[in-house]
Amino acid sequence: MKAKGIKSIAVMTGGGDCPGLNAVIRAVTKTAIAKFGLEVWGIEDGFLGLIEDRMHVLSYNEVSNILTVGGTILGSCNVSNPFKHRVTVGKMTRAKDVSGDCIKNLKGHGIDALICIGGDGTMASAARFAKKGVSVIGVPKTIDNDVYGTDVTFGFNTAVTTATEAIDKIHTTASSHHRVMIIEVMGRYAGWIALHAGVASGSDVILLPEMPYRLDKICDFVCGRSKRGKRFSIVVIAEGAREKGGRMVVAKKVAHSPDPIRLGGVANILAMQINEQTGLECRAVVLGHVQRGGTPTPFDRLLATSFGHTAVELLMRGIRGHLVVLKDGRLSSIPLSRVAGRIKTVPRNHHLIKAALAVGTSFGV
Ligand code: F6P
């Protein structure tokens, strides 16, 4: 389809929410209406709304005043997959490919192109729609910062800020009570939040999924601090971190979700283990969904606005099936087919790991 053929676009937010989604919706809608004179549709609740044909025309006014608001005015869903949609006929439930119905729904409203704001799960489906001929542009979101191909996703900076502020507060009570405080942060299979919040808060131990830890190393480290008169320790642990030779701690499995695994609980286990091995008093704090909420930081507002604007620009330049990325400080795009099925994890030689080691932080290895 030629760029000049585009008159109407749709925007949706898929997967887990994060701060900055509304900023992208605003940038997409305002750019499309004011710069290109397009009609913009907002799809409700991610791919579920596309499957169920729940969408409405977004007005300029509807997206005013949402730049600083957390969450998404469109709603989101992290269990829907148009290529494996759960349908129940009588007593039987089975997975069905309803992507053809989604395309019909778009065509029914005269929508020429789709902007999918989401993480790796959303991008996997976006890539498949692109393969089926839908004009798609992806925008990478997630607090986890694990989308392949971009240096950073919006939402990550806000989550790191929230986690760092929480750890700063825990620091003072840890010091008063001479405790080992173990703070569990989100991030799924990547340790980006733990690494950044851990270094920013001056945490003593940082545990990442990418570097399986040894319990004896952590215990020796916190005991060593005690002996040197440092009567408390701060341990930041990513929800996906695991002991060497052990497994990630699964909180629950969400049936039918593109990724059914929900991690969580490793901090409680580690607190018990450190207490048993060292006799030091330990407490676990699981930060949880607080990391996904609140107003986006200025950094995330800027990134989200640039991503949203770029997504519409790319469509109007005739680019299709691409993900907007920030690479080496520059906005660009890469094919969705290169992103689908991959995640970006923390490399062992990351500069923050080197810096943290240099200032005496332990990674439990
Ligand atoms: O991907 C974002 C994220 O918050 C992860 O960090 C976390 O593992 C997961 O989503 C939690 O999912 P849910 O909201 O379904 O509990």
Side-chain angles (χ1 to χ4, degrees), residues 164 193-203 206 236 352-353 355-356 359 361 363:
T164 304
I193 299 177
L195 178 63
H196 281 70
V199 174
S201 60
S203 293
I206 301 174
V236 175
L352 278 180
I353 295 180
V359 298
T361 309
F363 287 86

Side-chain angles (χ1 to χ4, degrees), residues 310-349:
T310 304
V312 181
E313 284 278 347
L314 289 174
L315 276 177
M316 298 315 282
R317 274 200 262 135
I319 292 168
R320 305 285 181 266
H322 271 220
L323 176 76
V324 180
V325 298
L326 188 76
K327 198 77 200 143
D328 303 325
R330 292 189 54 187
L331 284 162
S332 59
S333 72
I334 59 168
L336 280 165
S337 54
R338 278 185 52 202
V339 176
R342 303 171 90 168
I343 62 166
K344 179 188 69 187
T345 53
V346 178
R348 287 289 282 251
N349 63 352

